[in-house]
Amino acid sequence: MVFASATTGFKQDVPEIQNAFLEDPVMVSVLERLLPSDVLKEITPDLVQISQWSMTEGAALLDRMEQDQPRLRQYDSWCRRVDELLVTESWNKQKTVAAHEGIVAIAYERKYGQYSRIYQMAKLILWATGSGLYSCPIAMTDGCARVIELIGTQEMKDEVYSRLTSRDPSKFFTSGQWMTERPGGSDVGRTETQAVWDEDKKTWSISGFKWFSSATDADVTMLLARTHDPDPSVAPGTMKDGSRGLSLYLARVRDDQGKLNGVRIHRLKDKVGTKALPTAELELDGMVGQLVGQKYRGVKNISAILNITRIHCGLNCTSTMQALLLRSKEYARRREVFGALLKEQPLHLATLANMELQYRATCQFTFYCVGLLGRTEAIDNNLPEIKDRDLPLLRLLTPILKLWSAKNAFYLSQEAMECFGGQGYMEETGIGRAMRDVLVNTIWEGTTNVLSLDLLRVMAETRGAALEIYSNTIREIMAPLKGQLEWAKSAKSLEECLVLIAIRFTAYSTSEGRKILEASARGLSLAMADVIAGALLCQHAAWSQSKANANASNVVTVAEAKVDQISAQRWCEELYRRVDHQIQNLGREERYEEDKLMLFKLAEARGTAATGTRTSVEGFVEAKL
């Protein structure tokens, strides 16, 4: 045997994905079930094309964006403040591609009615693999467009909305979303930014400090500010406290000469991931803006943005999971260890299967929410099925989808890194970057705990009606499978889980049980996501089986039906045990007091005992003895 050198010896075949759309049977199958056949046939070439772009040109742009990250040039050579944000040509190219491909426009052209959203989001999942973090400004652009469409003035629609939804790169606008401030991230009620009416200019003058603003190079932005009452009969500077004093504003980031509109870029943020995305601390001083909707309705008016951006988070997670899973499976086909390929190794096979199951469940839940969004946008909202079911269900599910998919995606990214062993830990493979970038989804638009409390808020606002809608929806999904022997165990598991969830909400939805309910909120959110994902997996498997029955000679169709059935049944067989742990064990009445004792009370008692003694060290010893 010849000894190895830098140029001789073993070299591993590179696991390459040519086209995610063509190589991932899961998303194609979901689209086939959700879309009319003529729509799917018409959009398929576009989905194939964008996936091909992501694997080639997009991948090259992504690498360059990561290597040459945004920079801030605050002063010129003559000590003049310029606040020039320097981004790469690759970053700007992504904006051109997003416009040309209609990544936002597809949803608002509504060529396919309620199915336009499914088309848009499917394309976005495939595009995101090569667009990297440009999916972030696209999410905020989408949310801004929807708010203006719903409550914007005609002037806003003519001058801004038309550009947010344009396919012309020379006209296309992106939007920022400046909500986060130092006193509170998700707690927007502590907002310090203020808006004062300028009677002479007939505009609002906005001043304050925004601690975290993604896509700082956006053309326009939506932002919250505490509104000074413009009524001349009221004392100047009169404002309402808390979130009830906030209004929503739209502002150009730069004026017609390209100068920043009352904005100073204080500094760029040094983040764990999302390095290619320009994110900054901004000082606003007299930023000219326009009121969006009614005064003091800011928090309510951003709800349309949150529905969309949270779904975008789910899509980003789905995209990352798809890409990493495909690569992990391809590597398993090529990597040989201990005399066998990884795909033949039982433990590695079990690991990949669990990753596959998480991806399948996430894909189903994500597209279900996308379908709901499309229905609420394209169908008359006064119809009972939209007003009384789809709208409240969408409001309930979007925070759940966002927190659950973020957890799933980060878990899968960790597993994917392990699947590649030491090579997975190397920056060149891009897996580390994907892990760091996907982690932002657990933070942006609300942490897991904040979103879990949002779930409780929805329940309180609807007086429990949201839970009834949720439970009825799952029962409706499972109704066609009732009586079918192969689905009896899955149906029973789902029904038992619904009972567990209902008991937890009912038993502790009182002032006395509020602390216990809050302690259970994370488990409840994860459980509700697991349960609806299970129902959707069953629904898809039943559809897949009916397709196989009609095409019994098609080997691929029959195999797909079998895989879909295995996936759904495997998900549901462990569901009750998982949900029981999430809800019951994490929300016991005595656990709340135990948690306080374990985390804080003991330390406080030790500190109190040591206070006033001879020295801190002697006091500590004395307290211990």
Side-chain angles (χ1 to χ4, degrees):
M1 176 182 289
V2 179
F3 65 85
S5 70
T7 56
T8 62
F10 173 80
K11 291 188 178 179
Q12 176 64 48
D13 288 341
V14 180
E16 294 180 329
I17 306 301
Q18 301 300 320
N19 191 295
F21 182 74
L22 296 177
E23 296 179 43
D24 176 22
V26 177
M27 192 172 85
V28 172
S29 184
V30 171
L31 295 178
E32 186 180 355
R33 178 171 63 84
L34 296 178
L35 294 173
S37 57
D38 58 331
V39 173
L40 180 59
K41 182 178 179 180
E42 189 170 329
I43 69 173
T44 291
D46 190 38
L47 298 181
V48 172
Q49 174 273 137
I50 197 65
S51 186
Q52 189 65 35
W53 177 88
S54 289
M55 300 297 168
T56 52
E57 184 181 349
L61 289 174
L62 187 55
D63 286 340
R64 292 200 292 273
M65 285 159 54
E66 192 74 10
Q67 293 162 9
D68 191 3
Q69 296 169 10
R71 292 178 293 119
L72 174 61
R73 177 174 170 259
Q74 284 187 304
Y75 296 91
D76 67 9
S77 57
W78 299 100
C79 301
R80 292 175 298 187
R81 186 76 180 256
V82 291
D83 284 358
E84 183 181 8
L85 181 61
L86 303 172
V87 295
T88 66
E89 181 183 346
S90 301
W91 177 261
N92 290 328
K93 175 68 174 176
Q94 296 285 9
K95 181 179 181 181
T96 299
V97 173
H100 178 74
E101 294 292 339
I103 300 298
V104 177
I106 290 170
Y108 296 91
E109 292 166 349
R110 300 202 174 99
K111 178 180 179 181
Y112 303 109
Q114 64 175 299
Y115 304 112
S116 294
R117 271 294 182 187
I118 296 176
Y119 170 28
Q120 177 217 15
M121 298 300 192
K123 187 169 185 177
L124 194 147
I125 285 174
L126 299 167
W127 171 75
T129 305
S131 69
L133 302 165
Y134 212 85
S135 56
C136 177
I138 288 301
M140 294 183 288
T141 300
D142 196 344
C144 180
R146 182 58 177 158
V147 169
I148 294 177
E149 183 181 46
L150 288 172
I151 59 175
T153 64
Q154 190 59 47
E155 179 186 1
M156 292 177 191
K157 293 176 182 178
D158 293 340
E159 296 184 2
V160 179
Y161 172 83
S162 62
R163 302 188 71 166
L164 295 170
T165 58
S166 175
R167 286 178 179 260
D168 183 347
S170 67
K171 296 180 179 178
F172 181 55
F173 269 5
T174 58
S175 175
Q177 185 175 310
W178 300 353
M179 311 295 179
T180 307
E181 300 194 7
R182 288 174 298 198
S186 299
D187 185 5
V188 294
R190 301 181 67 189
T191 294
E192 294 178 322
T193 300
Q194 299 181 15
V196 180
W197 176 249
D198 188 323
E199 182 62 32
D200 294 332
K201 296 180 180 178
K202 303 298 182 184
T203 58
W204 291 89
S205 177
I206 305 170
S207 300
F209 192 87
K210 296 296 183 179
W211 183 80
F212 194 97
S213 61
S214 290
T216 308
D217 64 330
D219 301 285
V220 298
T221 188
M222 288 275 185
L223 67 160
L224 289 173
R226 195 166 303 286
T227 303
H228 285 231
D229 194 326
D231 188 342
S233 64
V234 176
T238 299
M239 296 176 288
K240 297 179 181 179
D241 295 331
S243 59
R244 64 194 183 97
L246 301 179
S247 303
L248 182 63
Y249 295 90
L250 173 70
R252 295 281 186 103
V253 177
R254 289 167 179 79
D255 61 22
D256 294 336
Q257 286 73 46
K259 295 181 179 180
L260 287 167
N261 172 22
V263 178
R264 286 183 178 175
I265 305 178
H266 184 60
R267 64 170 175 167
L268 292 181
K269 308 294 279 190
D270 187 9
K271 299 163 290 180
V272 171
T274 67
K275 301 283 190 180
L277 174 67
T279 306
E281 294 179 6
L282 304 176
E283 183 179 357
L284 311 182
D285 186 7
M287 186 181 202
V288 176
Q290 297 171 277
L291 180 69
V292 182
Q294 297 178 0
K295 291 193 300 293
Y296 311 124
R297 303 273 286 178
V299 173
K300 179 176 178 57
N301 289 339
I302 63 172
S303 61
I305 297 179
L306 294 179
N307 272 344
I308 289 174
T309 52
R310 286 172 177 174
I311 289 176
H312 272 266
C313 282
L315 290 160
N316 182 270
C317 292
T318 304
S319 177
T320 300
M321 295 173 79
Q322 179 193 61
L324 292 178
L325 179 60
L326 286 174
R327 289 183 65 186
S328 299
K329 291 196 290 187
E330 184 61 21
Y331 187 61
R333 295 186 183 100
R334 295 169 181 261
R335 178 63 172 168
E336 182 179 329
V337 292
F338 305 120
L341 292 172
L342 281 175
K343 75 184 188 73
E344 305 296 340
Q345 306 269 1
L347 183 55
H348 194 80
L349 199 62
T351 301
L352 287 174
N354 192 46
M355 293 164 64
E356 172 89 10
L357 197 56
Q358 289 290 338
Y359 168 61
R360 284 174 172 265
T362 305
C363 196
Q364 292 288 349
F365 189 14
T366 298
F367 273 104
Y368 181 78
C369 290
V370 171
L372 278 178
L373 178 64
R375 284 173 56 82
T376 61
E377 291 179 338
I379 301 177
D380 184 358
N381 282 191
N382 291 315
L383 292 175
E385 63 267 29
I386 304 297
K387 180 181 179 182
D388 300 332
R389 185 192 63 185
D390 289 0
L391 283 170
L393 191 59
L394 182 67
R395 170 70 181 91
L396 174 74
L397 293 182
T398 48
I400 297 174
L401 169 70
K402 190 268 182 185
L403 70 88
W404 180 79
S405 62
K407 290 294 186 186
N408 290 347
F410 188 63
Y411 154 78
L412 190 141
S413 70
Q414 292 175 292
E415 292 285 21
M417 180 175 282
E418 287 192 47
C419 285
F420 283 82
Q423 190 74 340
Y425 198 62
M426 299 299 107
E427 280 292 348
E428 294 94 327
T429 62
I431 296 174
R433 178 179 67 202
M435 179 187 289
R436 291 192 301 271
D437 288 349
V438 81
L439 183 58
V440 76
N441 291 288
T442 64
I443 306 294
W444 188 60
E445 297 295 28
T447 63
T448 305
N449 286 354
V450 166
L451 292 168
S452 298
L453 294 177
D454 194 25
L455 166 67
L456 300 189
R457 190 176 300 112
V458 175
M459 292 297 182
E461 289 172 354
T462 62
R463 297 187 178 183
L467 179 61
E468 184 178 359
I469 294 169
Y470 166 84
S471 300
N472 289 342
T473 297
I474 290 173
R475 291 180 177 119
E476 288 170 12
I477 291 172
M478 294 300 294
L481 307 183
K482 206 169 184 180
Q484 297 184 31
L485 187 61
E486 64 268 35
W487 296 111
K489 287 185 178 179
S490 297
K492 182 173 183 291
S493 177
L494 289 167
E495 184 60 39
E496 288 174 341
C497 289
L498 288 177
V499 172
L500 276 181
I501 292 168
I503 288 173
R504 172 60 53 169
F505 273 118
T506 303
Y508 294 102
S509 58
T510 62
S511 57
E512 296 80 11
R514 179 68 189 184
K515 290 179 181 177
I516 309 304
L517 188 59
E518 282 194 16
S520 309
R522 176 187 284 231
L524 280 165
S525 299
L526 294 171
M528 291 175 73
D530 281 343
V531 171
I532 194 167
L536 293 169
L537 284 166
C538 292
Q539 181 186 48
H540 187 81
W543 168 84
S544 188
Q545 185 59 57
S546 65
K547 188 176 72 164
N549 293 340
N551 300 274
S553 60
N554 190 317
V555 178
V556 174
T557 301
V558 172
E560 278 189 338
K562 183 62 176 175
V563 171
D564 289 337
Q565 182 178 355
I566 291 170
S567 301
Q569 291 176 342
R570 184 175 295 185
W571 183 269
C572 291
E573 72 184 17
E574 291 293 326
L575 192 58
Y576 182 84
R577 189 178 306 168
R578 186 163 70 246
V579 168
D580 182 50
H581 172 74
Q582 289 167 334
I583 295 177
Q584 307 285 28
N585 291 342
L586 300 182
R588 290 182 288 110
E589 291 190 34
E590 67 273 18
R591 190 180 179 99
Y592 171 71
E593 294 300 332
E594 291 173 353
D595 288 347
K596 284 201 298 184
L597 175 63
M598 180 171 62
L599 293 169
F600 300 111
K601 284 189 175 180
L602 178 58
E604 290 168 1
R606 285 159 60 111
T608 301
T611 300
T613 53
R614 291 177 295 280
T615 66
S616 58
V617 174
E618 292 171 342
F620 172 77
V621 173
E622 187 174 298
K624 286 288 289 182
L625 296 176

